[in-house]
């Protein structure tokens, strides 16, 4: 395998190469980098490194199918108790399945997205997650860049129905979820992460997507079903 590169180096080529390999670029950005790859040998080498680096971890994971009653249990915990306790209980469940769900989501989406160990010289690694689809057909891959405090999303699946929106949630430990706004199906979506969330954006936090009324949840918590969820890991 090639020698590892330092993420976030001069020109941001490592981040660009990783985003290209993960499929997080808009069509125009992807076309531009593919043209650049024909002449920029250093960038091409970084792309080959990330492709090999992600693929090497696939062999360590087997596809894991969730139990048939998983969705029912989650729904019961989410909506069968008071607001405060239901998120606590749900997070315990999500922690228990976090390792398997990332691998299953990656397999389902067809992307080689797994997290290599960050280099010791990299104090602020980027973070990635592939959310596991729990209901419907929404597929979400997210890459967080701590240098710009921005979250890049690739959201696949069917658009939300008329009068409804998908809403993204930030979840840390046993705290209540925090809305990051509504999202739509598309590639290369960029969200600015506010300072309060950026200060706590690290390995182990969870991102979730719920189905809400148009404009988002009317309260400070999801009101509709949780469609996808995943924990983030460093790259």
């Amino acid at each position: 395998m090639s020698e590892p590169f330092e993420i976030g180096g001069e020109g941001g080529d490592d981040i660009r190469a990783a985003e290209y390999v993960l499929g997080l670029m808009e069509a125009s950005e992807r076309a531009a980098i593919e043209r650049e790859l024909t002449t920029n040998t250093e960038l091409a080498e970084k792309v080959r490194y990330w492709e090999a680096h992600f693929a090497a971890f696939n062999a360590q994971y087997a596809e894991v199918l969730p139990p048939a009653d998983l969705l029912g249990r989650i729904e019961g915990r989410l909506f069968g108790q008071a607001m405060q306790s239901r998120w606590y209980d749900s997070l315990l469940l999500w922690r228990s399945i976090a390792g398997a769900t990332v691998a299953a989501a990656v397999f389902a989406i067809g992307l080689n997205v797994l997290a290599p160990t960050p280099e010791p010289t990299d104090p602020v690694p980027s973070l990635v997650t592939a959310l596991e689809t729990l209901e419907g057909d929404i597929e979400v891959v997210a890459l967080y860049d701590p240098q710009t405090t921005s979250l890049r999303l690739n959201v696949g699946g069917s658009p939300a129905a008329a009068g409804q929106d998908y809403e993204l949630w930030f979840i840390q430990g046993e705290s209540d979820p925090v809305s990051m706004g509504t999202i739509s199906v598309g590639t290369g979506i960029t969200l600015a992460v506010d300072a309060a969330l950026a200060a706590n954006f690290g390995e182990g936090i969870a991102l979730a997507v719920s189905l809400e009324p148009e404009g988002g949840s009317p309260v400070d918590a999801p009101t509709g079903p949780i469609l996808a969820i995943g924990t983030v890991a460093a790259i």
Side-chain angles (χ1 to χ4, degrees):
M1 183 181 294
S2 303
E3 290 297 316
F5 298 101
E6 181 179 350
I7 297 174
E10 183 178 357
D13 279 350
D14 292 294
I15 292 295
R16 293 173 63 216
E19 289 181 344
Y20 174 77
V21 172
L22 295 174
L24 291 172
M25 290 182 162
E26 295 181 353
S28 59
E29 293 177 302
R30 189 172 184 84
I33 199 172
E34 286 174 348
R35 289 193 297 270
E36 186 176 351
L37 286 172
T38 63
T39 57
N40 189 334
T41 56
E42 184 177 351
L43 180 61
E45 185 179 354
K46 292 177 188 294
V47 168
R48 288 192 295 271
Y49 165 74
W50 282 117
E51 288 174 339
H53 207 30
F54 290 144
F57 283 82
N58 286 344
Q60 299 181 20
Y61 295 87
E63 180 187 1
V64 178
L65 296 176
D69 63 343
L70 176 61
L71 179 59
R73 298 206 312 268
I74 292 176
E75 291 283 356
R77 293 192 177 205
L78 284 173
F79 302 110
Q81 300 180 33
M83 183 70 69
Q84 181 67 29
S85 63
R86 77 186 190 190
W87 277 103
Y88 175 84
D89 290 340
S90 296
L91 284 170
L92 289 179
L93 175 60
W94 293 336
R95 287 176 185 145
S96 70
I97 64 172
T101 58
V102 171
V106 169
F107 181 86
I109 300 173
L111 296 175
N112 291 323
V113 184
L114 286 170
T117 303
E119 293 300 309
T121 57
D122 181 15
V124 281
S126 296
L127 300 163
V128 68
T129 183
L131 277 63
E132 183 189 8
T133 301
L134 301 178
E135 185 174 334
D137 64 354
I138 191 169
E139 300 170 343
V140 182
V141 177
L143 178 69
Y144 177 69
D145 181 1
Q147 302 288 350
T148 60
T149 63
S150 61
L151 185 67
R152 296 289 298 272
L153 299 171
N154 186 355
V155 184
S158 303
Q164 294 181 310
D165 272 324
Y166 298 133
E167 188 162 3
L168 182 67
W169 299 88
F170 174 99
I171 307 169
Q172 182 182 28
E174 296 165 8
S175 301
D176 291 337
V178 178
S179 174
M180 298 185 70
T182 59
I183 59 174
S184 57
V185 172
T187 59
I189 301 168
T190 301
L191 297 180
V193 179
D194 67 36
L197 293 187
N200 294 292
F201 215 112
E203 283 194 274
I205 66 100
L207 296 177
V209 175
S210 67
L211 183 63
E212 302 294 339
E214 187 173 3
S217 172
V219 297
D220 293 332
T223 61
I226 302 300
L227 304 181
I229 189 167
T231 55
V232 305
I235 61 172

